[in-house]
Amino acid sequence: MPAILWLVLLLALILSPGDKLPSAAKIPGLDKVAHFSLFAGLLLLWNRALNSRDKKFTKQIFITNYLVFGIIFAILVEVIQQMVPNRAFDLLDIVANLSGSFVGTVCFYILYRKKSKLV
């Protein structure tokens, strides 16, 4: 459930019209930090939702989760953003999305390997 809620939050923020964003979002570079953080959180939570303790977290699952949610979704969101008023396609947003996705997935993997109670 947390992964779905985070996904809804991410979509609500990223696909909101540009003129509806808080003025703090106009600070240079802050939107990249937001994209990175949103996607890092998404991938951490999504991996947590898809990988229970009774299932072995394999390299194939790791790659699949990253490819589907980290790469395809990160690019798709930017493509869709072109259709939102006062928003635009931005390659640097894709870089931030992909970076956050990678970091979120790696953080999950590290926590999983350490048998952390967080995952």
Side-chain angles (χ1 to χ4, degrees):
M1 190 61 147
I4 292 170
L5 292 174
W6 193 266
L7 178 62
V8 170
L9 172 69
L10 182 148
L11 289 172
L13 292 172
I14 289 182
L15 299 178
S16 293
D19 58 349
K20 303 289 184 203
L21 296 174
S23 59
K26 309 267 191 274
I27 297 171
L30 186 60
D31 68 320
K32 306 307 179 246
V33 172
H35 280 261
F36 177 90
S37 302
L38 287 168
F39 274 83
L42 177 66
L43 268 289
L44 179 66
L45 292 171
W46 206 262
N47 277 298
R48 183 175 174 250
L50 296 177
N51 298 288
S52 60
R53 284 274 166 220
D54 58 334
K55 211 164 59 165
K56 185 173 177 162
F57 185 68
T58 65
K59 187 184 282 188
Q60 182 180 3
I61 292 169
F62 178 83
I63 291 169
T64 302
N65 288 346
Y66 179 67
L67 286 176
V68 171
F69 294 102
I71 296 175
I72 295 171
F73 188 66
I75 295 169
L76 183 62
V77 165
E78 282 304 309
V79 171
I80 293 169
Q81 210 174 34
Q82 296 178 93
M83 296 174 242
V84 177
N86 299 317
R87 298 298 291 261
F89 179 88
D90 186 349
L91 284 175
L92 291 179
D93 283 351
I94 291 176
V95 171
N97 296 349
L98 294 174
S99 300
S101 297
F102 181 75
V103 168
T105 303
V106 169
C107 286
F108 171 81
Y109 183 74
I110 291 167
L111 293 170
Y112 183 87
R113 299 279 295 168
K114 291 186 176 196
K115 298 182 183 345
S116 171
K117 292 182 181 186
L118 295 174
V119 296

